[in-house]
Amino acid sequence: MEKRKLIIVGSGPAAYTAAIYAARANLNPLVYEGFFSGTAGGQLMTTTDVENYPGFPEGIMGPDLMIRFRAQAVRFHTTVLTEDVTAVDLSSHPFKVTANKTSAEADALIIATGATAKRLDIEGAGDGEFWQKGVSACAVCDGAAPLFRNKPLFVIGGGDSACEEAIFLTKFGSKVFLVHRRDKLRASKIMAERAMNHPKVEILWDSVVTKVEGSDVVGSVTIQNVHTKSEEKREAGGLFFATGFIPNVGFLNGQLELESNNYIKVTPGTTNTSVEGVFAAGDVQDHEWRQAVTAAGSGCMAALSAERWLSAQGLIE
Ligand SMILES: Cc1cc2nc3c(=O)[nH]c(=O)nc-3n(C[C@H](O)[C@H](O)[C@H](O)COP(=O)(O)OP(=O)(O)OC[C@H]3O[C@@H](n4cnc5c(N)ncnc54)[C@H](O)[C@@H]3O)c2cc1C
């Protein structure tokens, strides 16, 4: 079985940044970039313009940015395998990693498998319909686009993120409607009050979105009352899902300590997990910031931490 000093699982900004740092430090990293488990290249492969990643003043398309991340990792001789890691064994050292076709051992491991935005199955909101044409899963990323300016915007959700995203969108939309299927928000008291008291936010209680329509981009949404089933079509410039993310941790099979929301638990301010020699970077351990630049930053931290740990164990010179 092949043995590496460092294996990185994942392929978003966190994984490739970790690979760039590790490869330049001669750790000869192996990256499992995934195949079926999300799009190789990560969440940015599913979006168009990225306007807030530093270094690209004109903006850059998400897939183009990720092609550059990958190319930079490969330039320094990172090995990339287009396979999903299906299991790991962290009970003994070196750690064992099993993927679709290959398996390998590693002295240190970086988990950077990201998170998957929950998308609701609403007529008109899918791929090839209005997804990315006014339907988004990231208000912070997409909200400033001209498409949404001075239009009524709709956010689906009832937690802290939904309230935060609704308030954020008031900077751009003419009005923001928070569509919540219950009669009470799940958000913390302070966030709920902020949303409810905001002059540009209106909460549509006991409601769901059943349809998205438009021409080139979103033009209207249909709102249904969950009790009466009555429906109303409303003008809309955008629809944002704020219904949460699922961190991609299934293959760990409970071997790393997780937060109550299933994100990997790290020691605050570090990428150290509950198992020595295993580090976590990017959205798989971050339910708060969830941005490409923060994922890349923590990928850098994980690679430097792995290098220091390997050195402290006498596993590298
Ligand atoms: C629609 C959308 C638009 C966005 N726009 C922006 C933006 O404009 N600016 C910004 O800063 N952020 C944006 N974000 C957020 C940003 O994409 C994420 O914060 C960032 O991609 C997280 O990076 P990551 O490295 O943690 O992993 P991810 O990007 O989540 O990628 C992880 C990848 O790892 C791979 N993987 C998963 N499981 C396995 C496995 N078992 N084995 C092998 N590989 C695996 C998969 O291919 C997965 O896609 C957007 C997100 C979305 C959904």
Side-chain angles (χ1 to χ4, degrees):
M1 189 185 293
E2 187 181 9
K3 162 90 188 298
R4 293 274 178 149
K5 291 185 188 100
L6 178 68
I7 290 180
I8 299 165
V9 190
S11 57
Y16 284 132
T17 303
I20 292 162
Y21 275 77
R24 293 188 74 247
N26 290 331
L27 295 185
N28 186 26
L30 167 63
V31 171
Y32 281 105
E33 69 172 354
F35 186 61
F36 293 114
S37 53
T39 313
Q43 296 172 58
L44 289 184
M45 299 298 284
T46 68
T47 192
T48 50
D49 288 310
V50 177
E51 296 187 323
N52 52 12
Y53 196 83
F56 297 93
E58 311 301 331
I60 182 165
M61 298 297 272
D64 292 343
L65 180 61
M66 292 321 300
I67 285 167
R68 288 172 181 238
F69 264 86
R70 190 182 192 275
Q72 196 169 349
V74 170
R75 177 183 161 207
F76 297 109
H77 308 298
T78 299
T79 312
V80 181
L81 293 179
T82 309
E83 292 184 53
D84 301 307
V85 169
T86 51
V88 290
D89 182 356
L90 309 180
S91 64
S92 59
H93 198 262
F95 306 120
K96 288 183 191 56
V97 175
T98 307
N100 302 127
K101 294 184 219 146
T102 60
S103 32
E105 289 183 331
D107 285 329
L109 206 54
I110 294 176
I111 311 296
T113 44
T116 307
K118 283 188 208 161
R119 280 167 61 179
L120 302 176
D121 188 15
I122 295 172
E123 187 183 338
D127 292 315
E129 298 178 309
F130 291 104
W131 173 248
Q132 291 298 315
K133 292 179 186 160
V135 179
S136 162
C138 185
V140 178
C141 317
D142 298 335
L147 170 77
F148 301 117
R149 296 282 161 108
N150 302 317
K151 305 257 178 64
L153 304 178
F154 291 75
V155 176
I156 303 179
D160 277 345
S161 298
C163 292
E164 205 176 314
E165 301 211 351
I167 293 166
F168 177 79
L169 288 170
T170 59
K171 293 190 192 106
F172 313 108
S174 55
K175 181 149 190 178
V176 179
F177 296 91
L178 185 56
V179 185
H180 187 45
R181 63 194 154 132
R182 301 191 208 289
D183 60 359
K184 193 171 183 295
L185 295 173
R186 271 183 297 107
S188 59
K189 192 164 177 281
I190 184 158
M191 282 310 300
E193 276 174 3
R194 256 187 228 160
M196 288 192 292
N197 295 334
H198 196 291
K200 279 176 82 178
V201 176
E202 182 178 332
I203 304 183
L204 304 178
W205 303 107
D206 299 317
S207 298
V208 292
V209 175
T210 54
K211 199 177 197 177
V212 182
E213 291 171 285
S215 48
D216 297 348
V217 294
V218 170
S220 69
V221 293
T222 300
I223 307 288
Q224 185 188 68
N225 181 292
V226 292
H227 301 304
T228 63
K229 303 289 176 206
S230 63
E231 291 199 330
E232 187 189 355
K233 188 166 161 174
R234 288 180 179 236
E235 184 199 343
L239 175 67
F240 294 82
F241 296 147
T243 43
F245 284 78
I246 303 168
N248 302 319
V249 294
F251 68 100
L252 294 170
N253 203 14
Q255 294 175 83
L256 288 183
E257 213 175 309
L258 303 179
E259 303 276 5
S260 55
N261 53 9
N262 278 345
Y263 283 76
I264 296 179
K265 191 171 188 171
V266 292
T267 310
T270 77
T271 53
N272 300 351
T273 68
S274 56
V275 174
E276 256 200 55
V278 182
F279 304 87
D283 284 15
V284 74
Q285 52 83 53
D286 171 17
H287 46 88
E288 187 165 0
W289 310 112
R290 297 194 309 242
Q291 293 295 292
V293 71
T294 48
S298 70
C300 161
M301 286 165 66
L304 294 177
S305 301
E307 187 188 358
R308 284 178 198 167
W309 183 81
L310 288 165
S311 173
Q313 305 305 308
L315 293 164
I316 54 170
E317 285 176 13

